[in-house]
Amino acid sequence: MSVSSGVFKIIHSFGYSKEDTAEQKKSVIYKELCELKKRGYDGVVTNVEFEIDYLEDDTEWELMKYKAEACKQLGLRLW
């Protein structure tokens, strides 16, 4: 079995505001992932937003799940 090594982009923040709705945040995430795919990246390294209190905001975990689903849909690997 071979494992291909790809080019991953480390994303510390997707750039949305904490005041944005979940749907607005998802839109920002999807646009950024599409742009990375178009630029030739094979995947992303990311996490929940640390600038927002992710331990008390379930939305950040919902968005992390969305990131995984969007990556799968776009054919990007996620780490």
Side-chain angles (χ1 to χ4, degrees), residues 43-60:
V44 296
V45 177
T46 192
N47 206 331
V48 294
E49 274 297 327
F50 291 123
E51 297 297 318
I52 298 172
D53 193 356
Y54 65 92
L55 293 175
E56 294 186 15
D57 185 357
D58 289 339
T59 303
E60 285 307 313

Side-chain angles (χ1 to χ4, degrees), residues 21-48:
T21 66
E23 290 307 310
Q24 290 170 319
K25 292 174 183 179
K26 287 178 182 180
S27 177
V28 170
I29 291 166
Y30 193 78
K31 286 176 186 175
E32 178 68 18
L33 292 174
C34 286
E35 183 61 31
L36 291 171
K37 176 76 174 183
K38 187 168 45 171
R39 291 187 352 215
Y41 284 93
D42 297 312
V44 296
V45 177
T46 192
N47 206 331
V48 294

Side-chain angles (χ1 to χ4, degrees), residues 53-71:
D53 193 356
Y54 65 92
L55 293 175
E56 294 186 15
D57 185 357
D58 289 339
T59 303
E60 285 307 313
W61 295 107
E62 175 188 328
L63 291 172
M64 188 65 214
K65 180 179 173 185
Y66 177 76
K67 292 171 194 176
E69 293 167 355
C71 282

